[in-house]
Amino acid sequence: MDYGFDFSFLSGFWPDLLKGTWLSIKMSALSLVLGFLVGVALAVARTEGGNFLKKIAAAFVDLIRNTPLVVQTFWLFFGLAAIQIRVPAFYAAIVALTINTSAYTCEIVRAGIDSIHKGQKEAAACLSLSKGQILGYIVLPQAVEKMYPALISQFVLMMLATSIMSQISAQELTAIGYQIQSETFRGFEVYLVIAVIYLFLSWLLRLVMNLCHDLAFPRKKRMNESSKK
Amino acid sequence: MIFGITYNQWFFVLRGAGWTIVLSLLGFAGGTIAGLPLAVARASKHRLLRELSGLYVKLIQGIPLPVMMFIVYFGISIAGYDLPALVAAGLAMTFYSSAYLGEIWRGCIESIPVTQWEASNCLAFNTLQTLAYIILPQAFRVAIPPTVGFLVQIVKNSSYAVVIGFFDLTYSARVINNSTFKPFAVFTVAALIYFIICYPLSLLSYRLEKKLKNKTN
């Protein structure tokens, strides 16, 4: 094997890489927030909704969780194009990622809701809190807090999955990599660099999610600190 | 013609489905061979072994599978081999599934009480014997439900092999869509085939998990 590794192409392409990275971050952040909101709504529908609503939500979750994201994305993107609706790849990607993530988030949050003791709901009802208040103030905050580690893993997986959106010509990091590869014929080096950027992004996402945890659930942080003393 | 797509074209999609199954099996076999030692290393008492295997897992779990496909694909070609995309996809799937299976199985090994290790130590079993005769057979039972569940992930994520042009279900569906431009029909059927493969596995995993829970309680 007489192959000389050469990373000098980086000097000319780093603005492109930066632009791709930024697009990947934007795509992940938007889909994360939207996916979380839709996922929580689905989880509420699956636990508190009527019989019909429960069944619809369950069928949706099963369908999404047992088919690949790529096929869902193609279905949406090419399907919309076939009925003459032109959507930029970026927005189609966000919709596909939101739908996909919401199904997984739903299952995680639902497990959290199921783990809350019935007595808490009864106590809240005794204090004459409405059904919405019980959900919003008692059940959901605890459910999300309990399942937070699982949510972090799920969102990291989603961030990594944005890399497939190059297939519908969204100009995110992996697409930029392919473009550089086709100009320099240094595919191996290009994707090694891209892999390092993704590693950095997953580290960054975990960091941000942990910061959000401390902001959203200060109680646990205080408890940990007081137990250390 | 069904939905404006000829029988031959549907057959083409089905052939892709066959290759999806082949790639999934390959990924699972490779993931098992590499994942089992990884799980043992992750659960071992030696700090170096634990940290090295942990680093591998962190690395693989922080890189998207499509990017891994590219790295393996271009890596093989600069090493001077001209191998089919199946090999590159299979290798990338092996890296991917070994990291996740290793983590799943580590949890199963660690769920076996320490007293089992101590007792077999008292009976003068060495580490390898303890693993082979005492720990792994017990961990195996705990490992089945999550492993079946992970098979679903393998089947679904094998679709990422489209990025390197591997002829699987997703790829064949896209080819047919490009020539017929009936995306709803083609991709609905492709999704349905994935669903038919994955849903029974999901159900089985769920049932097995419930059964195991009832037994241990």
Side-chain angles (χ1 to χ4, degrees):
Chain A
M1 184 177 143
D2 49 352
Y3 183 85
F5 284 94
D6 181 8
F7 286 94
S8 59
F9 67 88
L10 273 177
S11 57
F13 285 107
W14 70 264
D16 295 317
L17 281 173
L18 223 59
K19 228 166 47 191
T21 309
W22 177 235
L23 196 79
S24 287
I25 292 176
K26 262 199 302 193
M27 196 186 272
S28 314
L30 277 170
S31 326
L32 192 155
V33 173
L34 290 173
F36 177 70
L37 292 177
V38 178
V40 170
L42 276 173
V44 171
R46 275 201 79 168
T47 47
E48 308 286 325
N51 232 342
F52 181 68
L53 200 61
K54 262 185 196 166
K55 268 190 189 139
I56 291 275
F60 173 79
V61 169
D62 273 342
L63 193 69
I64 297 297
R65 289 187 2 134
N66 286 295
T67 51
L69 171 65
V70 194
V71 175
Q72 291 160 12
T73 309
F74 285 168
W75 191 89
L76 191 79
F77 184 68
F78 295 121
L80 285 177
I83 52 172
Q84 307 298 329
I85 300 177
R86 292 245 160 247
V87 189
F90 178 71
Y91 294 106
I94 287 181
V95 174
L97 283 166
T98 300
I99 291 174
N100 192 267
T101 313
S102 70
Y104 290 93
T105 307
C106 165
E107 284 306 274
I108 295 172
V109 174
R110 189 174 69 112
I113 292 177
D114 283 345
S115 73
I116 308 280
H117 199 269
K118 214 173 68 190
Q120 297 225 6
K121 277 192 223 167
E122 288 166 359
C126 283
L127 294 169
S128 79
L129 265 66
S130 71
K131 232 182 156 185
Q133 284 173 321
I134 295 175
L135 260 178
Y137 294 123
I138 315 282
V139 176
L140 283 180
Q142 293 188 72
V144 172
E145 190 177 357
K146 236 179 205 170
M147 302 312 281
Y148 206 80
L151 283 174
I152 293 183
S153 307
Q154 190 52 52
F155 291 148
V156 169
L157 281 177
M158 188 221 66
M159 188 276 290
L160 295 176
T162 59
S163 67
I164 202 62
M165 294 309 166
S166 55
Q167 291 298 302
I168 56 166
S169 69
Q171 287 300 304
E172 42 72 53
L173 193 49
T174 311
I176 299 288
Y178 201 78
Q179 198 185 308
I180 300 175
Q181 180 276 134
S182 60
E183 284 174 41
T184 60
F185 299 107
R186 297 243 163 229
F188 189 65
E189 287 99 322
V190 172
Y191 281 105
L192 277 186
V193 171
I194 293 216
V196 172
I197 298 177
Y198 274 113
L199 275 171
F200 168 74
L201 286 182
S202 35
W203 171 82
L204 190 70
L205 180 57
R206 278 179 194 278
L207 190 79
V208 171
M209 292 281 295
N210 281 326
L211 280 176
C212 287
H213 179 268
D214 292 348
L215 282 177
F217 309 107
R219 184 173 64 111
K220 198 161 197 175
K221 196 168 170 240
R222 277 205 303 272
M223 267 157 55
N224 283 343
E225 273 165 8
S226 58
S227 66
K228 266 179 209 154
K229 277 170 200 168
Chain B
M1 299 269 272
I2 312 175
F3 304 130
I5 289 160
T6 63
Y7 288 116
N8 263 338
Q9 286 170 326
W10 283 127
F11 185 69
F12 187 77
V13 173
L14 273 182
R15 241 176 52 207
W19 283 107
T20 286
I21 293 173
V22 171
L23 179 59
S24 306
L25 289 177
L26 216 64
F28 181 60
T32 304
I33 293 166
L36 196 59
L38 194 70
V40 173
R42 285 285 282 151
S44 96
K45 281 176 291 189
H46 301 283
R47 199 164 151 224
L48 187 72
L49 214 59
R50 232 175 28 227
E51 275 177 11
L52 273 180
S53 50
L55 189 72
Y56 171 83
V57 169
K58 266 213 180 97
L59 219 70
I60 300 289
Q61 294 193 344
I63 299 173
L65 186 52
V67 173
M68 202 121 63
M69 296 263 178
F70 276 129
I71 291 177
V72 175
Y73 183 71
F74 288 117
I76 286 178
S77 68
I78 65 168
Y81 300 105
D82 185 23
L83 294 170
L86 174 66
V87 178
L91 258 175
M93 289 300 291
T94 297
F95 285 131
Y96 161 80
S97 49
S98 67
Y100 284 89
L101 283 175
E103 278 302 274
I104 293 172
W105 291 340
R106 172 182 75 124
C108 301
I109 292 176
E110 284 175 349
S111 74
I112 306 301
V114 192
T115 43
Q116 297 273 328
W117 286 91
E118 291 165 355
S120 78
N121 200 9
C122 287
L123 294 170
F125 280 81
N126 64 27
T127 311
L128 214 64
Q129 286 170 324
T130 308
L131 265 174
Y133 297 123
I134 315 281
I135 304 298
L136 289 184
Q138 297 185 73
F140 183 73
R141 219 176 51 124
V142 191
I144 292 176
T147 306
V148 173
F150 187 71
L151 274 176
V152 177
Q153 302 296 323
I154 292 182
V155 173
K156 279 191 311 177
N157 287 337
S158 71
S159 65
Y160 287 152
V162 281
V163 297
I164 55 169
F166 175 67
F167 179 82
D168 72 341
L169 178 50
T170 309
Y171 188 85
S172 61
R174 192 158 69 161
V175 169
I176 297 299
N177 174 52
N178 286 347
S179 57
T180 59
F181 210 60
K182 295 237 180 320
F184 284 125
V186 176
F187 290 120
T188 302
V189 170
L192 210 67
I193 297 176
Y194 275 112
F195 188 80
I196 289 169
I197 302 173
C198 293
Y199 192 60
L201 289 173
S202 292
L203 276 185
L204 183 67
S205 161
Y206 179 72
R207 293 243 167 94
L208 287 171
E209 202 172 323
K210 240 167 95 184
K211 215 166 118 192
L212 193 71
K213 235 183 216 163
N214 289 341
K215 249 187 209 161
T216 43
N217 282 350

